[in-house]
Amino acid sequence: MLNRRTFLGAAAMSAVMLPATRIWAGSNVKVGTIQIDTLSDGNLVLPADFILGGMPQAELKVIVEKFGLSTQQLTPPCNVTLVRDGTNTVLFDVGAGPDFQPSAGKLAEALEALDVAFEDVTHVVFTHGHPDHLWGMLDEFDEPIFANAVHMMGQAEFDYWTDPDTAQTIGDARTTFAVGAARRLGVVADRMTFIADGQEILPGMAARLTPGHTPGHMAFEIRSGSDSVMVVGDAIGNHHVAFERPKWPSGSDQDGERAAATRAALLDQLAADKMRLIGFHLPDGGLGRVEKDGTAYRFVAES
């Protein structure tokens, strides 16, 4: 069972036990004239039960063996999405920064590899407020790292993480998530632009509410003509159980039942429309397609 102590213990041991193997520019694709790159922020080190806990054990055993998963520890990659359209330089999420896990927080090095400076970033768009997506927004002096950027987040997500009651109700394993999010969002509150479901946030980029992993989680569709990519954040959180059994609640989701319904609908749409997706925790840079596989789905990576 996951608790705060086991979660933080895994974080502290990650640099010694499982050093990150990073691909700085994990994958890239063009949608019309829009250049999209995924950048490695490193990886997380999690107790396996944080994701797999509570799932039907007999069926889960088959999936664990199929994907070669550890039943003790999982090391999901973290893929930040960089979008450049010739006018705007947009980051979807900013990674974990230095204060979450030592195996993560490597975005600065990834940007440097592509010769992108912090001051070049015009917009920072958040899928949600979990540490591995949000905590990289401030420097060691608690100043915004992306000082020239407009920061964008769904209103419901911002309100949830800045509500003082959240830290009291989110559960012991995630208390630090809430405290850390509130502190960071408080610093950038005056530069935050709130976005709504269906809104075109920038030319060719539209928000889509995908709740469950967190209350106001959002995905983002990037489109040019008939070509498109969906940045799904953690609405589809891994390449194994999320695809094999999307309707199973996951321990990583704050509202397991709602997240499962969101995930199943999103996978069905992506497979039917043959739309590419970028997942924050999907392998090989996170870019790929969804294929229907009987009653399940399959992630097919593209590089």
Side-chain angles (χ1 to χ4, degrees), residues 111-177:
L111 288 168
E112 185 178 2
L114 291 186
D115 199 27
V116 176
F118 292 155
E119 55 266 25
D120 295 336
V121 176
T122 61
H123 298 79
V124 170
V125 184
F126 296 103
T127 60
H128 65 294
H130 278 164
D132 49 328
H133 299 255
L134 182 81
W135 281 19
M137 69 160 65
L138 303 181
D139 64 19
E140 63 269 31
F141 303 105
D142 275 0
E143 295 292 335
I145 286 177
F146 303 99
N148 296 336
V150 175
H151 290 52
M152 309 178 87
M153 178 180 264
Q155 180 82 62
E157 187 74 0
F158 181 90
D159 289 349
Y160 174 75
W161 291 109
T162 55
D163 184 343
D165 289 340
T166 296
Q168 308 304 317
T169 58
I170 198 172
D172 288 347
R174 291 182 167 94
T175 299
T176 55
F177 293 15

Side-chain angles (χ1 to χ4, degrees), residues 24 28 34 50 57 83 132 155 158 169 174-175 195 198 228 235 245 266 274 302:
W24 294 128
N28 62 81
I34 300 173
F50 187 69
Q57 291 303 298
V83 176
D132 49 328
Q155 180 82 62
F158 181 90
T169 58
R174 291 182 167 94
T175 299
I195 52 182
S228 60
R245 296 292 187 272
L266 191 55
K274 302 186 186 318
E302 295 184 7

Side-chain angles (χ1 to χ4, degrees), residues 69-111:
L69 305 177
S70 167
T71 57
Q72 301 301 313
Q73 197 173 78
L74 300 176
T75 57
C78 299
N79 307 300
V80 173
T81 300
L82 173 70
V83 176
R84 291 172 285 182
D85 64 5
T87 300
N88 301 301
T89 297
V90 186
L91 280 176
F92 288 88
D93 295 326
V94 295
D99 299 328
F100 187 49
Q101 293 194 357
S103 58
K106 315 303 182 183
L107 179 60
E109 297 165 68
L111 288 168

Side-chain angles (χ1 to χ4, degrees), residues 11-76:
M13 295 172 66
S14 63
V16 175
M17 295 180 63
L18 289 163
T21 300
R22 297 186 295 272
I23 303 172
W24 294 128
S27 55
N28 62 81
V29 66
K30 276 202 167 186
V31 176
T33 60
I34 300 173
Q35 174 70 36
I36 304 174
D37 294 273
T38 66
L39 308 177
S40 175
D41 193 52
N43 68 279
L44 301 183
V45 179
L46 304 173
D49 278 357
F50 187 69
I51 294 173
L52 306 179
M55 295 180 175
Q57 291 303 298
E59 291 180 77
L60 179 62
K61 185 174 184 291
V62 175
I63 298 171
V64 165
E65 292 176 351
K66 177 179 179 179
F67 289 90
L69 305 177
S70 167
T71 57
Q72 301 301 313
Q73 197 173 78
L74 300 176
T75 57

Side-chain angles (χ1 to χ4, degrees), residues 211-213 246-250 253-264:
H213 183 69
K247 293 184 180 180
W248 283 0
S250 170
D253 297 322
Q254 292 184 213
D255 184 335
E257 295 294 339
R258 192 177 192 192
T262 293
R263 182 166 52 248

